[in-house]
Amino acid sequence: MKFVIDDLEVIFPYKFLYKEQLEYMQALKQTLDEKGHGILEMPTGTGKTVSLLALIIAYLAQRPNSIKKLIYCTRTVVEMEKTLEEVRLVLKARKAEGLNDNFTAVGLSSRRNLCINPDVVNQKDRVDAECRKRTAEWVKKGQSETCIFYENFEKSAKETIANLPNDVYSLTDLRKNGAYSIQCPYYTAREMVKKANIVVYNYLYLIDPTVSSQLSKDQIKESVVVFDEAHNIDDVCIEAYTVRLNKPILAEAINNLKVVETQIQSETNEIQNRLNEEYKKLINNLEKKPEGELNQLVIPGQIRKARNFIDFMKRVINSLRKKLKDNSEALKTSHAILHNPKSFTEEIQKEGNLDIDSLKQCGERLNLLLNTLQIAETDKFRPLSSVAQFVMYLVQYQEGFKVIFQSNNYEGTLNEKLMTLACFDSSLAMKNIFALFQSVILTSGTMSPIEIYPKILDFKPVVAKSIDIELTRNSIQPIIVSMSEDGTELTSEFTLRNNEDVSRNYGNFLLELSENVPDGLIVFMPSYSRMEEWARQWQKDKYLEQISKNKVLFIESRDVNETSTKLQQYRKCCDVGRGAALFSIARGKIAEGIDFEGHYGRCVAVIGFPALNSKDTLILERCKFLEEKFKITKNDFIEFDAMRQTCQCLGRVLRGKQDYGIMIMADKRFAQKSKLQKMPRWIYKQLDQSRCLNITSESAITVVRDFFRQMAKPFKIADNSYFTQDTL
C-alpha cells in the first residue's frame, strides 16, 4: 500500500497498516527531519522492523542528499537474516509500484559465518586463523596454503562488485553466489559494504573499538544508524571496553612473547630484512608527521625497534604479574580490592620503567610486529593482545574505569584470582557514534523508562517516544502473583534463598500452570544457580515428575548448542499437540531474541525478581559511577535493569495482533509502585489492577482459566485499529 507522511511517499509491503506502525513512522520521520538522534519504543510483534525499513528506504529514495546510507545493527545472525528479508520485502513492494530504486543491501558477518572453503570451514573454531593463513598479504602462490576463492576475488574484485546487480544479499545469498563464482563471500561482503545503500551487521562492528577501527574509514556522515533491540545497549558498550586478566592469561602472554622473540632473533636474511624495513617505515612516518598533528601511527622511540618492544612488553607483563600476586595475597582477607586507574598506572610505570606514550601505542605496535613477522594465526596471540589492550585503555581513560582484583567464582575456574579493568561508562562507546553519524536510532519493544537512556549514554535525543498498542480484545493478560494459596509470600529475595516453603510454593504454582496452560509454557528464573537450586528441590518433592506428565519438560543449559537443540525439540512437542514447558533464565539466550509466536508461547512466567547482585563489586562500582555522574541512584538502576529484563522475557509471548498469551510475574516485589512505573505502557495498561495485581497463586490460576476460555471465542480485528489504502 502507498501513503504519504507529510511530504514523504511511503510504500508499505502489506495491505493493512496498524495505527501503532503509522505513529512509529511519524516519530521516526521527525527524527530524520531534524537530523538528530532518537529513542523509540514499540510493542513487540507489531511490525516495528518493517515499519522502520519502509520509512527509511523511502527517505533514502526521495532525500538522497540528506540520507545516503542505512546501517542496521543487530545482536545475532538470526536477527540479521530476518532484517535482510524484511528489506527484500519492502524493496519488492516498491518495485511493484513502479519504483526502481537501484538499492543494494548486504549483510556482513564473521569469516566463520561466510566462509565456503571446505578446508577452512572444517576447522570449526579455527576458521578465522585458517582464513588469515591463506589470505594474508604476504601469502604468495606456491609459498604456502592459499585459497582459490580469495585468489579469484583478488583478481577481479572491482569487476565482480561492479557486475553484481542491485539486490538484497543475505549471508545465504553471499555464500551461494560465492560458490557459483568461486569467489570469497567474506571479502566480497566487505567490499560491498563500502558502496551499499543498506548494510546490516552486528552491534560490535560499531561499538567495539578493536573492530570498528577497521570500518571507520568507509563511514559517511549522512547515514542513519539503527540499533535494534537496544534495551541492553549500555551493557554491550561497557563490555566492549572491559578487559580481564588472570595468572594463566599472563603466563600465555609470556609464551606469546617467546614465540615472537624467537622469530626476531632468527638469523635468516628474510626476517631481518623485513624487520629493518619495518623500522625504516616507522622512522619515515615520524619524519612525515605534520607539525601539531596527532597521528596515532607514530610509534614512540622506546618501542620502535622490535627487540626493544619485546623487552618493553616483558616489563609490562611482569609488572602486572606482581600486581596480581600482591593483591591476591590481600584477597585472603578481603572480598575485592579496587584501584584508581591513574594511581595504578603510576605504580606499574615505576615498577617496570614504562613510559606513557609507549603504553598508549603498544597495541598498535604489536599488530605491526605480528604483520611484519607474517604471523597469521593471531588468535593464538590473544593473551598478549589482551595485555596490550588492558594497558592501552588504562592510560587512555581515567574517569569511568576501575582496576578491580577479586576471586573468579565462575564454574571451572578453581577460584582463580581475576584482575579486571572495568568500564562503567557506557557513553564512552557511543560518543563517537553519535558524533560520526547524522541520526542514530535506538529502538526496542522494552525501553521503559525511556528517560534513563539519554542519561547513561550521555546524549540528547530530538525524539524519545513510547508507542502504545491498541488491542480489539485483551489478548495479553499480565498478572502479578505475590502470595501462594496459603498466603505465604512468593519472592526470590536472598534472605529466603534456602527457604523450602518458598521453593515448594513456586513448584506447586508451576505444576498448576502446566495443568491449565495449553501448548507452550516458558518459565524464566533469576539465574542459573537459583534455577538449579529450585530444580533440585522440585525433583525431591516430585513436582518435576508431575509437570512432565502434563508437558514435556526442557531446561536451558549453559551450553549454547545444547540449548538450541532443546529449543527445536520444544517446538516439535508443541506442534504435535503434546505441549511443552521450557525452564530458562532471564538474561539468557532464550530471553533475548527468541520468538515464541502462536502456540509456542501461550504463557510466560517470570518466577522471582531478576535483580542484579547488589553486593557484587562490579555492580556496586557501576552504581556509584551512575550516581556521581548522572544522579541515578543504586535502587533506581537495579530496579530499571530488573524490569527491562522482565519485560523482555514477557514480550516473547506476543508476536502479532492476533496472537495471545498470559504474562505472569511471580514475586511480591513486582507489585511495588516503583516497579510498576518502569513497565512499558503497552504492558501496564493491560494489567487489571482489581483482579490481577498482588494476588494469590490460586486466584492467578482462576484468571488463567478464564483468559483461555475467552481466547477460544471467534475473533476479528476491529476495522478501526488499522488503515487500508482507501482509509489512509
Side-chain angles (χ1 to χ4, degrees):
M1 63 185 294
K2 184 192 301 184
F3 58 94
V4 176
I5 299 179
D6 298 331
D7 55 345
L8 187 73
E9 185 179 76
V10 179
I11 308 298
F12 196 68
Y14 298 108
K15 294 179 180 179
F16 303 101
L17 177 73
Y18 293 122
K19 290 182 177 179
E20 298 91 339
Q21 294 172 317
L22 180 60
E23 189 178 351
Y24 183 82
M25 286 191 271
Q26 288 169 335
L28 178 58
K29 182 179 181 296
Q30 181 186 344
T31 308
L32 302 186
D33 286 346
E34 296 187 29
K35 297 184 178 181
H37 312 306
I39 306 175
L40 299 174
E41 179 183 68
M42 184 175 178
T44 58
T46 52
K48 167 172 55 69
T49 302
V50 72
S51 302
L52 183 147
L53 291 171
L55 189 286
I56 295 180
I57 289 173
Y59 220 96
L60 281 169
Q62 296 168 55
R63 312 265 176 91
N65 294 327
S66 178
I67 294 295
K68 297 180 179 178
K69 193 164 195 160
L70 166 60
I71 301 172
Y72 197 104
C73 300
T74 68
R75 297 167 306 170
T76 67
V77 171
V78 172
E79 290 172 355
M80 182 189 304
E81 292 287 72
K82 282 183 181 178
T83 301
L84 286 162
E85 289 310 310
E86 298 269 30
V87 172
R88 197 189 308 275
L89 193 66
V90 172
L91 292 178
K92 183 179 178 181
R94 293 179 63 82
K95 190 172 183 180
E97 292 286 343
L99 300 172
N100 293 313
D101 299 310
N102 292 323
F103 285 163
T104 296
V106 64
L108 176 62
S109 189
S110 64
R111 292 171 169 86
R112 181 171 48 193
N113 293 323
L114 283 170
C115 182
I116 55 174
N117 184 328
D119 294 332
V120 176
V121 172
N122 291 336
Q123 299 290 327
K124 295 182 179 178
D125 292 338
R126 290 184 41 77
V127 168
D128 283 6
E130 292 297 322
C131 174
R132 290 191 192 97
K133 279 171 61 176
R134 293 163 170 80
T135 60
E137 59 187 37
W138 58 79
V139 176
K140 293 186 174 61
K141 196 171 182 179
Q143 264 192 330
S144 178
E145 291 178 289
T146 57
C147 174
I148 185 65
F149 299 96
Y150 178 71
E151 287 183 349
N152 288 341
F153 167 80
E154 281 277 274
K155 289 175 185 175
S156 56
K158 291 182 180 178
E159 182 183 344
T160 299
I161 303 301
N163 290 337
L164 281 173
N166 294 310
D167 204 345
V168 178
Y169 295 88
S170 66
L171 304 190
T172 302
D173 297 327
L174 289 165
R175 288 192 295 267
K176 284 182 180 178
N177 288 352
Y180 177 77
S181 62
I182 318 179
Q183 294 194 17
C184 175
Y186 172 73
Y187 281 98
T188 298
R190 280 186 56 166
E191 194 66 28
M192 289 176 70
V193 162
K194 299 174 184 178
K195 296 182 179 180
N197 312 90
I198 302 164
V199 177
V200 184
Y201 49 49
N202 189 277
Y203 276 31
L204 296 181
Y205 280 70
L206 287 183
I207 289 175
D208 190 333
T210 61
V211 180
S212 61
S213 59
Q214 301 173 30
L215 296 172
S216 59
K217 62 179 180 295
D218 300 319
Q219 310 291 15
I220 56 175
K221 174 70 177 178
E222 297 84 4
S223 298
V224 180
V225 174
V226 174
F227 287 101
D228 196 7
E229 300 298 336
H231 48 275
N232 285 332
I233 194 168
D234 53 308
D235 291 339
V236 178
C237 292
I238 284 171
E239 190 59 31
Y241 280 80
T242 294
V243 188
R244 298 172 182 83
L245 301 175
N246 59 18
K247 188 176 178 180
I249 291 174
L250 292 173
E252 278 303 305
I254 286 291
N255 291 335
N256 290 162
L257 279 179
K258 288 177 181 177
V259 172
V260 174
E261 189 172 30
T262 299
Q263 290 209 33
I264 289 173
Q265 292 173 347
S266 168
E267 295 181 0
T268 63
N269 290 333
E270 182 186 355
I271 289 179
Q272 292 307 315
N273 288 340
R274 290 204 303 266
L275 289 170
N276 290 334
E277 188 63 29
E278 177 195 63
Y279 182 71
K280 288 178 184 177
K281 285 182 180 178
L282 294 175
I283 293 294
N284 290 337
N285 209 26
L286 178 65
E287 292 173 349
K288 292 176 182 178
K289 177 187 174 185
E291 187 176 351
E293 182 180 321
L294 179 64
N295 186 341
Q296 295 229 343
L297 292 177
V298 174
I299 303 298
Q302 269 205 33
I303 57 173
R304 215 167 285 149
K305 286 189 174 180
R307 285 186 173 85
N308 292 348
F309 174 63
I310 295 301
D311 290 339
F312 178 85
M313 289 305 296
K314 283 180 182 177
R315 298 199 304 274
V316 168
I317 295 171
N318 287 332
S319 297
L320 294 175
R321 286 172 108 173
K322 187 175 186 305
K323 278 291 178 189
L324 184 58
K325 182 180 178 182
D326 293 345
N327 284 274
S328 295
E329 287 296 316
L331 282 174
K332 292 177 180 178
T333 57
S334 179
H335 172 67
I337 299 169
L338 283 70
H339 294 265
N340 181 283
K342 184 177 181 182
S343 60
F344 189 86
T345 303
E346 291 170 353
E347 289 170 12
I348 65 168
Q349 272 189 273
K350 185 177 179 181
E351 177 71 33
N353 188 26
L354 309 168
D355 69 293
I356 287 289
D357 290 338
S358 296
L359 288 171
K360 283 182 180 178
Q361 298 293 347
C362 63
E364 186 64 44
R365 184 66 186 93
L366 175 62
N367 291 335
L368 288 171
L369 183 56
L370 293 179
N371 195 57
T372 298
L373 295 175
Q374 299 184 357
I375 294 174
E377 296 178 273
T378 52
D379 58 319
K380 292 182 178 179
F381 291 81
R382 196 166 292 140
L384 185 56
S385 296
S386 294
V387 170
Q389 189 179 20
F390 185 99
V391 294
M392 281 169 58
Y393 291 170
L394 181 69
V395 298
Q396 285 179 30
Y397 307 110
Q398 300 295 313
E399 187 182 1
F401 283 77
K402 283 283 174 68
V403 180
I404 300 176
F405 293 86
Q406 59 187 152
S407 295
N408 186 357
N409 295 318
Y410 293 111
E411 188 177 340
T413 57
L414 299 176
N415 202 30
E416 187 68 58
K417 301 300 183 287
L418 197 63
M419 175 169 55
T420 304
L421 178 62
C423 174
F424 306 118
D425 187 358
S426 53
S427 69
L428 181 67
M430 295 299 293
K431 188 183 300 180
N432 290 337
I433 298 172
F434 288 132
L436 183 59
F437 299 106
Q438 185 167 298
S439 289
V440 177
I441 310 296
L442 308 181
T443 188
S444 175
T446 51
M447 296 198 74
S448 293
I450 280 180
E451 59 269 16
I452 201 168
Y453 288 94
K455 291 181 182 178
I456 61 179
L457 299 178
D458 197 18
F459 78 109
K460 294 180 180 179
V462 295
V463 174
K465 188 168 186 176
S466 178
I467 310 297
D468 204 349
I469 190 170
E470 188 171 305
L471 297 171
T472 303
R473 61 174 179 172
N474 293 323
S475 55
I476 56 172
Q477 181 60 75
I479 304 172
I480 295 179
V481 186
S482 55
M483 293 171 285
S484 64
E485 56 188 70
D486 63 4
T488 305
E489 289 182 335
L490 286 177
T491 181
S492 61
E493 286 177 339
F494 186 78
T495 54
L496 297 174
R497 183 165 192 155
N498 298 318
N499 189 311
E500 292 187 3
D501 287 338
V502 172
S503 172
R504 195 171 292 115
N505 285 330
Y506 271 134
N508 187 63
F509 181 45
L510 292 179
L511 174 58
E512 290 190 87
L513 283 176
S514 71
E515 292 170 347
N516 289 279
V517 172
D519 301 316
L521 166 65
I522 308 105
V523 181
F524 291 100
M525 302 178 209
S527 64
Y528 282 114
S529 60
R530 184 59 63 89
M531 181 168 68
E532 288 161 0
E533 289 169 8
W534 282 341
R536 281 194 294 270
Q537 183 66 40
W538 296 336
Q539 183 73 36
K540 178 182 173 184
D541 294 336
K542 306 294 184 183
Y543 283 120
L544 296 186
E545 181 182 326
Q546 294 176 72
I547 290 171
S548 296
K549 291 177 182 178
N550 300 323
K551 296 184 182 297
V552 180
L553 178 60
F554 299 94
I555 299 178
E556 180 181 357
S557 73
R558 299 173 195 264
D559 184 270
V560 175
N561 293 327
E562 185 180 335
T563 295
S564 296
T565 301
K566 288 180 178 179
L567 194 56
Q568 291 173 4
Q569 293 170 341
Y570 168 89
R571 291 181 183 275
K572 286 181 181 178
C573 290
C574 292
D575 287 338
V576 298
R578 173 68 174 83
L582 178 60
F583 288 2
S584 316
I585 63 159
R587 298 186 179 84
K589 171 183 169 59
I590 290 170
E592 291 286 340
I594 304 295
D595 295 338
F596 293 93
E597 70 282 0
H599 64 290
Y600 298 125
R602 288 304 179 211
C603 175
V604 168
V606 179
I607 302 297
F609 191 69
L612 294 165
N613 180 2
S614 60
K615 294 184 179 180
D616 181 88
T617 304
L618 289 171
I619 302 302
L620 280 172
E621 289 303 311
R622 182 177 180 185
C623 289
K624 285 180 185 177
F625 172 79
L626 290 173
E627 185 154 17
E628 289 171 6
K629 186 167 183 179
F630 303 119
K631 309 303 179 188
I632 299 170
T633 67
K634 173 186 168 184
N635 284 344
D636 274 347
F637 179 73
I638 296 291
E639 284 187 357
F640 154 75
D641 183 75
M643 289 308 297
R644 66 173 166 177
Q645 303 306 332
T646 298
C647 294
Q648 185 63 18
C649 294
L650 298 178
R652 302 301 92 206
V653 80
L654 183 68
R655 308 316 302 171
K657 284 246 185 169
Q658 298 190 53
D659 203 356
Y660 61 90
I662 293 278
M663 300 175 169
I664 292 176
M665 291 158 273
D667 191 298
K668 66 176 185 178
R669 289 170 286 182
F670 285 118
Q672 295 170 359
K673 184 178 179 180
S674 60
K675 275 74 170 179
L676 294 173
Q677 290 173 338
K678 292 179 174 66
M679 275 187 194
R681 175 164 170 71
W682 64 273
I683 295 178
Y684 179 74
K685 79 169 193 174
Q686 293 298 122
L687 180 64
D688 184 342
Q689 299 199 24
S690 64
R691 190 166 178 247
C692 300
L693 174 61
N694 209 12
I695 62 175
T696 66
S697 56
E698 186 178 23
S699 298
I701 295 300
T702 300
V703 174
V704 168
R705 289 174 183 150
D706 290 346
F707 176 82
F708 286 116
R709 274 197 292 265
Q710 189 66 30
M711 291 301 106
K713 295 177 181 179
F715 165 70
K716 179 180 182 295
I717 295 178
D719 293 340
N720 62 359
S721 69
Y722 60 84
F723 301 100
T724 65
Q725 183 71 65
D726 297 330
T727 59
L728 261 176

